[in-house]
Amino acid sequence: MGKKKKPNNLSKQTANKKSLTPWQKANQKYLAEHGKEGGKNENVDQKEAFLHPIDQIEQTDDKIKVSNPPEKEVTKPFEKIKQFKTGSPYNGSFLNRLPNLKNQRNKVLYRRLVFIITILSIPLIFLIYYVSPYSRLQKISILGNEAIPSQTVIKDTHLLIGGNVWKQYWHKNQYIETLKKKQPRIETAQLNFKSINTFQLNIKEYKEIALVMKNDQYFPVLENGKVLDEKADNPTKNLPILENFTDYNKINSLIKEYSKLSSELQKAISEIKYTPKDNNKNLIQLNMNDGNRVIVNIQNLASQMNYYSQVAKEMTEKGVIDMEVGIFSYPYTDSNEKSKQTIQTSAANNQSEQQEVSRNQTDNLSDSSTSNEEDQVNNSSESSQKEDQSSSSTSVLTGN
């Protein structure tokens, strides 16, 4: 009986081996090579653990009985590791990944093409712009000029219509300096772009603050103290007239003090005369529009003229307000009497001086006459002595 069971077991073992999957065969080979937990019996048990329960049988002496496998925890030698998909499908085929590669390659090509086109197009655009009329100056607009005509401003800047826009714009400071030298009325000037080929020149002019009278002609004085060479066509402006001013330093100091006055006081002054004295070279006389007259120093004009309205209200009649030393006023009648007295005293002084001069002249004449008489006496005595000498000499000659 035992001899007959052996071939049956062998046939079932071979059948079981044939029914194993390739993975199971690889597992058996691995276990056979590394031999875990000592030996062939355990390897066989592990092999049977991976078999189907029907394949597990119990052999007896009489018959073969199929029984349920014992409950046993099956340990998996290898567990499948889960991997998340990133980008392309995991373990996808080359055909599935081919469209993504094409898209990536096309993107790179497009980027390179755009980069090359931009590098080549930039100098081409500049070349076209340089040749086109947009790079040439077409027009210049002037803003802020009141006394100077626009054509005169454009001419004095030496800006060239039809010239290169950018070349003239980068040298704009030079054009502005030439404009200021030609036109002293201009205080500031700014050159900017109005459009792609048009300039806009913003100008700020000095204000005319007074008029200087020279040889019965009027010349404007700017607020910076500079006197222009051009004649004023209309001297009847609401500007004070400066008389007897020949020193430009005095004019500058006067304009600085005059600019500090309020607009009401500036409009109230009609004339400013330079009336220096021997002991005061900064004295001026202001003729007011209300009929009064003010005497004040140039350096005290702004500080003392603030009291003018208060002093003028206290005056009962028109007159003189003297601010040379302190502040006091008196009417024109008193000033006329004072002027008459000064004229009389000056006339008396002149007469006394003339008398002294005449006395000196008579004294000089008398001195000269006496000196002439003395000279004549001396000359006569000398001539008599010479005659005596000649007679003695002749007598000596005759005696011999």
Side-chain angles (χ1 to χ4, degrees):
M1 295 292 290
K3 292 180 180 179
K4 291 180 180 179
K5 291 179 180 177
K6 290 180 180 179
N8 291 329
N9 293 330
L10 292 173
S11 62
K12 289 180 180 180
Q13 290 176 359
T14 54
N16 292 330
K17 288 180 181 180
K18 289 180 180 181
S19 62
L20 294 175
T21 60
W23 185 84
Q24 291 175 347
K25 290 180 181 180
N27 190 13
Q28 288 180 359
K29 185 176 180 181
Y30 176 80
L31 294 174
E33 290 177 356
H34 293 280
K36 290 183 180 181
E37 294 181 359
K40 296 180 180 180
N41 293 326
E42 292 181 357
N43 291 334
V44 173
D45 294 334
Q46 289 179 358
K47 291 178 184 178
E48 291 177 356
F50 290 102
L51 298 176
H52 196 271
I54 300 172
D55 294 333
Q56 293 180 355
I57 57 173
E58 291 182 354
Q59 294 181 357
T60 57
D61 294 334
D62 296 330
K63 59 181 179 181
I64 298 171
K65 295 181 180 179
V66 178
S67 62
N68 292 326
E71 293 181 357
K72 186 177 180 181
E73 293 182 357
V74 179
T75 59
K76 296 180 181 180
F78 297 102
E79 292 182 357
K80 187 175 181 181
I81 300 172
K82 294 182 180 180
Q83 294 183 358
F84 297 97
K85 297 180 180 180
T86 56
S88 60
Y90 179 71
N91 290 331
S93 63
F94 181 74
L95 294 175
N96 294 327
R97 287 181 289 171
L98 184 61
N100 294 327
L101 294 174
K102 288 182 178 180
N103 292 330
Q104 292 178 358
R105 186 176 295 175
N106 290 332
K107 288 180 181 179
V108 173
L109 291 175
Y110 289 149
R111 290 174 184 173
R112 291 179 181 176
L113 182 63
V114 169
F115 180 71
I116 293 169
I117 290 172
T118 51
I119 290 175
L120 295 176
S121 62
I122 289 172
L124 182 62
I125 291 169
F126 277 106
L127 181 62
I128 294 169
Y129 172 74
Y130 185 79
V131 176
S132 68
Y134 291 104
S135 63
R136 305 296 174 183
L137 183 61
Q138 298 294 326
K139 185 180 177 182
I140 302 171
S141 61
I142 311 298
L143 294 177
N145 57 324
E146 295 179 0
I148 309 171
S150 299
Q151 294 298 327
T152 305
V153 173
I154 295 171
K155 183 179 178 181
D156 292 337
T157 54
H158 298 292
L159 289 170
L160 182 60
I161 302 296
N164 191 294
V165 174
W166 290 102
K167 185 177 180 180
Q168 297 184 76
Y169 180 77
W170 294 125
H171 296 86
K172 61 181 180 180
N173 293 328
Q174 297 179 1
Y175 295 108
I176 291 171
E177 290 297 327
T178 55
L179 176 63
K180 287 183 178 180
K181 289 179 181 179
K182 292 290 183 66
Q183 297 294 335
R185 286 179 177 272
I186 295 175
E187 181 180 0
T188 58
Q190 292 181 352
L191 186 66
N192 297 313
F193 273 104
K194 186 178 180 181
S195 64
I196 192 170
N197 57 354
T198 303
F199 284 158
Q200 180 174 335
L201 186 61
N202 297 319
I203 291 174
K204 183 181 178 182
E205 296 178 351
Y206 285 111
K207 295 180 181 179
E208 292 183 6
I209 202 167
L211 296 173
V212 174
M213 188 174 67
K214 295 180 182 178
N215 299 325
D216 296 331
Q217 293 178 348
Y218 298 95
F219 298 90
V221 181
L222 302 178
E223 59 183 346
N224 61 346
K226 190 169 185 179
V227 181
L228 300 179
D229 294 332
E230 58 187 49
K231 297 178 183 179
D233 297 330
N234 186 14
T236 59
K237 297 179 181 179
N238 293 324
L239 298 175
I241 296 173
L242 308 183
E243 295 181 9
N244 302 329
F245 282 91
T246 57
D247 189 1
Y248 288 103
N249 294 323
K250 298 293 182 183
I251 295 174
N252 288 328
S253 59
L254 174 63
I255 295 302
K256 288 180 182 179
E257 292 293 323
Y258 179 79
S259 61
K260 296 177 183 179
L261 297 175
S262 62
S263 59
E264 295 177 355
L265 287 174
Q266 290 180 357
K267 293 178 181 178
I269 300 171
S270 61
E271 291 180 355
I272 301 175
K273 292 182 180 181
Y274 182 57
T275 57
K277 294 181 180 179
D278 294 335
N279 57 355
N280 189 359
K281 298 297 183 182
N282 294 319
L283 196 64
I284 57 175
Q285 177 181 320
L286 308 179
N287 294 329
M288 311 301 290
N289 290 325
D290 57 1
N292 291 324
R293 186 182 300 166
V294 180
I295 298 171
V296 68
N297 294 318
I298 294 175
Q299 63 271 16
N300 297 329
L301 177 63
S303 60
Q304 292 186 350
M305 281 298 290
N306 293 326
Y307 303 101
Y308 172 76
S309 59
Q310 183 178 357
V311 175
K313 288 178 182 179
E314 294 176 356
M315 294 176 65
T316 57
E317 57 181 342
K318 303 301 179 184
V320 179
I321 300 174
D322 194 345
M323 297 182 179
E324 182 180 1
V325 180
I327 299 174
F328 60 93
S329 63
Y330 50 88
Y332 284 121
T333 56
D334 296 338
S335 63
N336 291 327
E337 291 177 357
K338 289 181 180 179
S339 62
K340 289 179 181 179
Q341 291 177 0
T342 54
I343 291 168
Q344 291 176 357
T345 53
S346 62
N349 292 327
N350 291 325
Q351 289 178 359
S352 62
E353 289 177 356
Q354 290 177 358
Q355 289 175 359
E356 289 178 358
V357 169
S358 61
R359 288 174 184 175
N360 292 326
Q361 289 177 354
T362 54
D363 293 336
N364 291 325
L365 290 172
S366 62
D367 293 335
S368 62
S369 62
T370 53
S371 62
N372 290 324
E373 290 176 354
E374 290 176 356
D375 291 333
Q376 289 176 359
V377 171
N378 292 325
N379 290 324
S380 62
S381 62
E382 288 178 356
S383 61
S384 62
Q385 289 176 0
K386 287 180 180 180
E387 289 176 355
D388 294 335
Q389 288 177 359
S390 62
S391 63
S392 63
S393 62
T394 51
S395 62
V396 169
L397 289 172
T398 55
N400 293 332

